[in-house]
Amino acid sequence: MSCSPPPPILRLHPPSSISSFSSPRRPHLSPRTCPWRLAAAREMPWPHVLTVAGSDSSAGAGIQADVKACAALGAYCSSVITAVTAQNTAGVQGVHLVPEELIREQLQSVLSDMSVDVVKTGMLPSAGIIKILCESLQKFSVKALVVDPVMVSTSGDSLSDPSTLTYYRDELFAMADIVTPNVKEASKLLGGVSLHTIADMRDAAESIYKFGPRYVLVKGGDMPDSSEAIDVFYDGKEFVEFRGHRIKTHNTHGTGCTLASSIAAELAKGSSMLNAVQVAKNFVESALHHSKDLVIGNGPQGPFDHLFRLKCPPYNIGSERRFNPDSLFLYAVTDSRMNKRWGHSIEDAVKAAIEGGATIVQLREKDIESRAFLEAAKACMDICRSSGVPLLINDRVDIALACNADGVHVGQSDISAREVRELLGPGKIIGVSCKTPAQAEQAWRDGADYLGCGGVFPTTTKANNPTLGFEGLKAVCLASKLPVVAIGGINATNAGSVMELGVPNLKGVAVVSALFDRECVSTETRNLRSILTSVRCLA
Ligand SMILES: Cc1ncc(COP(=O)(O)OP(=O)(O)O)c(N)n1
Ligand SMILES: Cc1ncsc1CCOP(=O)(O)O
Ligand SMILES: [Mg+2]
């Protein structure tokens, strides 16, 4: 690892340059002085995040992003403003620090009165401000502390004094539940090491963990040359890689603040840390995807729309896991007969497929009793959640409900997609097998998220299944706006030719025997993935 050059230092106006407005002092409210408010809080508690951060005049990042993200995820967000920045889509033009006494006062006002669940920190520009925050956190206990060590803006401008480094490392991190540096911030925290690989990110997470937080998330969104945005999560024992799709957009201003405040919102709602990070990643990815074409400002980096769900079809509102059609890229569909043949458990087979790069998994277990199926499905859900890979259940809505799977895949002779939607609710993924344009039209009307189309080639995995060939596949794709995954007889020899059809809504291939009727599932999956990736790169 080599050292990277320091970012440019921006002028930070000293606190003395700000005139502080003095108002007549009123006592801080407490349940004792205001008992009727405690009764109201008991009736309807609202998950509450307090953000301690800087104001961003362009409203893409900072306090403004935190308030919008929490609102979108259903948490109340109060704010303690540490600095006022002048910035736009071109960068940061100025920074004024709020006087320390007023920061202390804001903290006291909110924490003494408002039953804060989680504190999330953003821009903490001076060592004095970090000290005041630590004192307040010692005085008022909260459920969790999320520290986003904002030091450099995405435009490369410095947002904190170098003296804060020691206070972050020695004081604040020890109180934090999670610390969420990006690679530049991780590098700064660790004295300038440069991070180029996932292995470097793991090392950095381990080193930052030693400063005392319970969890570390090193964000890899800035790592170059990858179709995936990989974040490394570390709990002191194990690493989890959160893989997201890299959205092609210039509207990324405020992603770090949004991710951290979304984690805080989910924790305030009662999530586990791993689940909070997963929901936050999905939320940011969806917001970026929905804001790809926004034009706000003339600079190189625009804001995105935190409230994108207000514009989504009703069945998507409130869903925690939005379906990303790109996840159909390499769809692994299990088969217990094949697993038995090779002595694999369902869990081991799913683990191996994910290790090899499967982007979505379906449990298609035709010969298994319900109780055993549910046990396996629950174990597979844990495996898939911790890798950020969606898990669907074939045919069995009851099993999907019982294990809280991400969705269900049904065919023409199964329960209809409309009824599945009724049962599963708005946030789940529903796939429907279609062989004709008329079936594709019906699936869309019924609220399906994607179509499975095949058999494209002859297969022995599914009996009496007519072969459609490329013509049948293309006819279904062209008849629908829904994303399509091709299935049936697809293997390493012919997968490339399927993707080379170049139909825009054909998003990937679903495969059973070429992955699972094999000794080494991870090797077969890895091989197929690299074939698909090379076709995509050429397209
Ligand atoms: C991705 C995908 N596409 C198609 C199918 C086939 O579903 P169906 O027609 O219901 O047949 P069975 O799989 O239930 O035998 C699928 N499972 N997955
Ligand atoms: C479930 C299904 N639906 C259409 S073809 C098929 C079987 C695909 O299995 P394989 O990938 O082994 O050909
Ligand atoms: Mg079926």
Side-chain angles (χ1 to χ4, degrees):
M1 293 198 222
S2 63
C3 289
S4 57
I9 302 286
L10 249 178
R11 105 202 110 90
L12 291 175
H13 300 275
S16 58
S17 70
I18 308 220
S19 57
S20 92
F21 172 80
S22 80
S23 64
R25 303 281 167 204
R26 293 212 171 82
H28 294 289
L29 281 175
S30 77
R32 235 176 289 151
T33 55
C34 205
W36 62 89
R37 303 199 63 171
L38 180 66
R42 275 210 194 110
E43 277 160 29
M44 194 182 137
W46 194 352
H48 187 144
V49 174
L50 163 62
T51 171
V52 183
S55 161
D56 167 9
S57 55
S58 76
I63 290 274
Q64 288 83 351
D66 297 340
V67 173
K68 286 186 279 183
C70 288
L73 291 166
Y76 186 84
C77 185
S78 52
S79 56
V80 165
I81 300 185
T82 57
V84 177
T85 70
Q87 49 182 313
N88 56 22
T89 57
V92 184
Q93 289 82 42
V95 177
H96 271 287
L97 271 58
V98 171
E100 289 181 3
E101 265 324 295
L102 191 55
I103 293 173
R104 192 191 297 281
E105 182 119 46
Q106 292 179 72
L107 285 164
Q108 172 77 20
S109 292
V110 176
L111 290 168
S112 67
D113 174 41
M114 297 185 80
S115 312
V116 171
D117 294 302
V118 178
V119 171
K120 176 257 165 185
T121 72
M123 181 180 173
L124 302 174
S126 73
I129 291 174
I130 298 182
K131 255 180 90 179
I132 288 169
L133 174 63
C134 290
E135 283 162 19
S136 297
L137 289 170
Q138 265 149 8
K139 193 162 155 198
F140 299 99
S141 68
V142 291
K143 276 193 221 152
L145 172 64
V146 176
V147 175
D148 184 23
V150 174
M151 292 170 182
V152 187
S153 75
T154 8
S155 54
D157 301 299
S158 174
L159 295 174
S160 67
D161 189 274
S163 66
T164 57
L165 266 183
T166 324
Y167 280 86
Y168 264 118
R169 287 186 303 224
D170 298 348
E171 310 280 336
L172 196 58
F173 284 0
M175 301 173 92
D177 288 271
I178 185 164
V179 176
T180 61
N182 59 29
V183 283
K184 280 189 206 145
E185 288 155 353
S187 158
K188 255 195 144 185
L189 287 164
L190 298 172
V193 293
S194 35
L195 311 177
H196 295 298
T197 63
I198 300 293
D200 295 342
M201 289 168 70
R202 283 177 172 232
D203 289 346
E206 253 178 333
S207 304
I208 293 168
Y209 180 83
K210 291 188 184 131
F211 296 127
R214 291 175 59 212
Y215 302 94
V216 180
L217 182 73
V218 178
K219 299 173 295 188
D222 293 337
M223 299 283 266
D225 301 334
S226 162
S227 62
E228 291 178 314
I230 301 172
D231 297 345
V232 171
F233 177 90
Y234 184 59
D235 65 3
K237 288 193 202 95
E238 285 177 47
F239 294 96
V240 177
E241 283 173 20
F242 285 94
R243 289 165 182 269
H245 293 264
R246 193 179 288 282
I247 313 285
K248 283 199 182 114
T249 175
H250 294 294
N251 296 328
T252 54
H253 180 53
T255 41
C257 306
T258 303
L259 186 87
S261 48
S262 304
I263 293 172
E266 290 306 308
L267 293 176
K269 283 154 65 180
S271 270
S272 68
M273 187 60 82
L274 213 52
N275 198 50
V277 173
Q278 182 66 69
V279 171
K281 284 264 306 169
N282 291 348
F283 174 72
V284 172
E285 188 179 306
S286 296
L288 291 178
H289 174 74
H290 284 273
S291 309
K292 273 191 298 208
D293 302 323
L294 270 188
V295 180
I296 299 179
N298 297 303
Q301 202 188 26
F304 58 90
D305 182 9
H306 293 76
L307 302 177
F308 65 95
R309 284 179 183 162
L310 295 178
K311 301 189 196 99
C312 286
Y315 55 79
N316 283 328
I317 291 177
S319 80
E320 285 194 343
R321 327 194 104 240
R322 284 222 4 93
F323 173 55
N324 182 344
D326 292 334
S327 65
L328 297 174
F329 189 54
L330 177 46
Y331 194 150
V333 181
T334 67
D335 181 310
S336 44
R337 276 165 286 188
M338 295 175 192
N339 286 337
K340 241 183 231 152
R341 191 155 37 235
W342 293 97
H344 301 149
S345 68
I346 302 176
E347 294 90 316
D348 286 346
V350 166
K351 237 184 239 164
I354 291 176
E355 201 183 301
T359 51
I360 187 167
V361 173
Q362 179 190 135
L363 298 187
R364 180 177 178 271
E365 299 299 330
K366 302 284 189 185
D367 295 338
I368 185 171
E369 290 188 349
S370 296
R371 191 169 293 200
F373 192 179
L374 181 56
E375 283 313 303
K378 284 180 177 169
C380 291
M381 272 307 291
D382 286 342
I383 296 164
C384 287
R385 276 271 149 86
S386 66
S387 328
V389 170
L391 180 81
L392 273 64
I393 307 292
N394 177 272
D395 297 349
R396 299 284 302 268
V397 182
D398 57 339
I399 301 283
L401 282 168
C403 73
N404 193 21
D406 297 300
V408 163
H409 186 96
V410 283
Q412 295 297 321
S413 50
D414 300 316
I415 179 169
S416 80
R418 186 177 293 265
E419 279 156 325
V420 179
R421 179 63 74 205
E422 286 287 309
L423 292 166
L424 292 189
K428 300 295 183 182
I429 305 168
I430 298 178
V432 178
S433 307
C434 296
K435 292 189 194 307
T436 65
Q439 290 173 353
E441 166 74 16
Q442 188 59 47
W444 177 75
R445 279 184 207 287
D446 287 347
D449 292 300
Y450 75 88
L451 309 178
C453 183
V456 179
F457 302 108
T459 177
T460 52
T461 303
K462 184 169 170 62
N464 306 319
N465 190 56
T467 302
L468 301 180
F470 286 162
E471 288 315 307
L473 173 62
K474 269 204 257 180
V476 167
C477 290
L478 295 176
S480 184
K481 286 197 174 64
L482 288 176
V484 179
V485 62
I487 188 167
I490 297 173
N491 55 40
T493 314
N494 58 26
S497 65
V498 177
M499 295 316 290
E500 275 163 3
L501 287 177
V503 187
N505 58 334
L506 178 57
K507 296 292 182 185
V509 296
V511 184
V512 187
S513 53
L515 302 184
F516 294 107
D517 208 1
R518 298 284 190 278
E519 186 170 10
C520 187
V521 175
S522 60
T523 305
E524 302 299 335
T525 316
R526 197 167 294 117
N527 183 28
L528 196 53
R529 175 140 180 172
S530 87
I531 291 166
L532 294 172
T533 305
S534 56
V535 174
R536 183 165 62 182
C537 288
L538 291 174

